[in-house]
Amino acid sequence: ITRYKRKAGKHRIFNMLFLSTFTLAVSAGAVLLLPFSIISNEILLSFPQNYYIQWLNGSLIHGLWNLASLFSNLCLFVLMPFAFFFLESEGFAGLKKGIRARILETLVMLILLALLILGIVWVASALIDNDAASMESLYDLWEFYLPYLYSCISLMGCLLLLLCTPVGLSRMFTVMGQLLVKPTILEDLDEQMYIITLEEEAIQRKLNGVSSTVEYQTVELERELEKVRSKKTNLERRKKASAWERNLVYPAVMILLLTETSFSVLLVALNILYLLVDETAMPKGSGGPGIGNASLSTFGFVGAALEIILIFYLMVSSVVGFYSLRFFENFTPRKDDTTMTKIIGNCVSILVLSSALPVMSRTLGITRFDLLGDFGRFNWLGNFYIVLSYNLLFAIMTTLCLVRKFTSAVREELLKALGLDKLHLSNNPRDSETKPSANGHQKTL
């Protein structure tokens, strides 16, 4: 957070920084809890009588799930709203300005927000489940109302994951392609380096010749120069890369990503079949055998390790997909230029995604681990049509994103390798656009 936040006064930022850090820690705990539970179960099965792992038992893991749920609720409904309202508060009119006045206004806003949310959830529950049992349950705040409210938040988080994860799975290929050095197929890097150097010198001469009073042209030329230098840096990196890095690492990583994505789609397809023929495959089906009594995977320890790798891969893909969506593009934090309000919004978004990750993994059949604590008390997990529709949508959206990604990527790489990319044969509107330069002429290469 200190890397991204904009510099400001310490008395205003320190407490908000602490709350945001605590929220990110809770998010990390929610992500790591499911892999920790899976690996703990396999360790207990492998060493049932070992004295040194007696502390690792079902009671400990069940308590950790309850704590993760409790702290997720605390951050989501108390700490982060308090941080946001405190940053925006100035104190009520007529009161002496200061910390106390701002805290008072923040507390009043929190109470009003709590009443608003309680009323909305109560009315929604009355409209959906209009019976005496559901109405009575809402009067019990701790045992029924808060888990029900968190169930609604979890459902929204799972829907957000359903939107972000397929996009992220296809976007991961582009991200890794930017981090790794691509192989040179029918490309002359020396010629590209020569062209980009000439372009950099031409823009630099234009920038030196433009009067400092023409601010618009100066800014546009500086942006253009920055892009050209970035391309030049990438070309220099590709030239310096070794042959094994170009021709072995990149294909291996791409094949690994494709394998993991295909494996996740295959698991979801198998889970759809299980849902149709076996009602115990429901996330809220029969209770599990308990920690340390039976393996959660068909392939034992190896299968559990694959599940853990796949869970982490889905989490990274969901975060990448979240920031790749057009609606959240401006939400991406920037180094030393991110307001504290935007940081709070990012922390809340990551918390919602990480809290919904165990639920999504269980719903999609990635793991058979039965959720413990309040994570397993969600009402919608017992609805067959919601769970089946979720699996179908995830499989269809992921497949469509991959097909679209690979067809367009293969087409662009073939055109680039054959030197036909300058003819604008691509159907991508972004590639076919020509941007006017600062002097009013169209820029072509």
Side-chain angles (χ1 to χ4, degrees), residues 125-369:
S125 176
L127 292 175
I128 297 173
D129 297 326
N130 191 12
D131 55 355
S134 63
M135 301 293 287
E136 289 293 335
S137 65
L138 289 177
Y139 289 108
D140 195 339
L141 184 65
W142 183 259
E143 289 294 330
F144 292 96
Y145 195 96
L146 288 180
Y148 181 81
L149 181 60
Y150 193 58
S151 176
C152 299
I153 298 297
S154 174
L155 178 59
M156 289 190 293
C158 287
L159 293 177
L160 184 60
L161 280 175
L162 180 63
L163 184 64
C164 297
T165 308
V167 177
L169 290 174
S170 62
R171 179 68 178 169
M172 283 292 291
F173 294 91
T174 304
V175 173
M176 296 306 297
Q178 294 173 352
L179 297 177
L180 300 176
V181 178
K182 295 182 180 180
T184 55
I185 303 176
L186 302 177
E187 285 186 282
D188 190 351
L189 295 181
D190 293 329
E191 181 183 357
Q192 294 184 22
M193 196 70 184
Y194 177 71
I195 293 174
I196 208 73
T197 303
L198 291 179
E199 189 174 356
E200 181 186 9
E201 293 175 355
I203 296 175
Q204 188 65 53
R205 285 195 297 269
K206 288 181 182 179
L207 190 60
N208 295 334
V210 172
S211 175
S212 59
T213 57
V214 187
E215 184 178 355
Y216 173 75
Q217 291 186 0
T218 303
V219 172
E220 288 294 324
L221 288 173
E222 287 178 351
R223 289 179 182 175
E224 219 172 309
L225 183 62
E226 185 178 353
K227 292 180 181 179
V228 170
R229 286 177 175 173
S230 177
K231 293 180 181 179
K232 184 179 180 181
T233 303
N234 293 333
L235 286 175
E236 290 176 350
R237 183 189 170 198
R238 293 182 64 184
K239 285 189 65 176
K240 294 178 181 179
S242 59
W244 70 270
E245 185 180 358
R246 290 196 307 265
N247 302 321
L248 181 63
V249 175
Y250 181 84
V253 172
M254 292 296 116
I255 292 174
L256 181 61
L257 292 178
L258 181 60
T259 303
E260 291 183 348
T261 306
S262 304
F263 186 61
S264 63
V265 176
L266 179 61
L267 286 179
V268 175
L270 291 176
N271 188 55
I272 293 174
L273 294 178
Y274 289 147
L275 289 172
L276 294 175
V277 300
D278 188 5
E279 59 183 22
T280 59
M282 289 289 294
K284 207 173 182 180
S286 61
I291 301 296
N293 295 327
S295 179
L296 301 174
S297 175
T298 308
F299 301 100
F301 194 86
V302 177
L306 291 176
E307 288 181 3
I308 292 173
I309 293 174
L310 196 56
I311 289 171
F312 281 119
Y313 179 60
L314 290 178
M315 183 61 199
V316 175
S317 301
S318 64
V319 174
V320 172
F322 176 78
Y323 289 111
S324 300
L325 296 175
R326 290 185 179 181
F327 186 76
F328 299 106
E329 281 183 352
N330 296 328
F331 211 54
T332 306
R334 302 181 184 277
K335 182 181 177 181
D336 296 330
D337 192 30
T338 307
T339 61
M340 205 63 206
T341 304
K342 188 179 289 187
I343 287 177
I344 291 173
N346 279 273
C347 291
V348 171
S349 303
I350 293 176
L351 177 62
V352 172
L353 292 176
S354 60
S355 299
L357 179 67
V359 185
M360 185 191 75
S361 302
R362 181 66 181 92
T363 305
L364 295 177
I366 304 297
T367 178
R368 296 295 174 183
F369 183 82

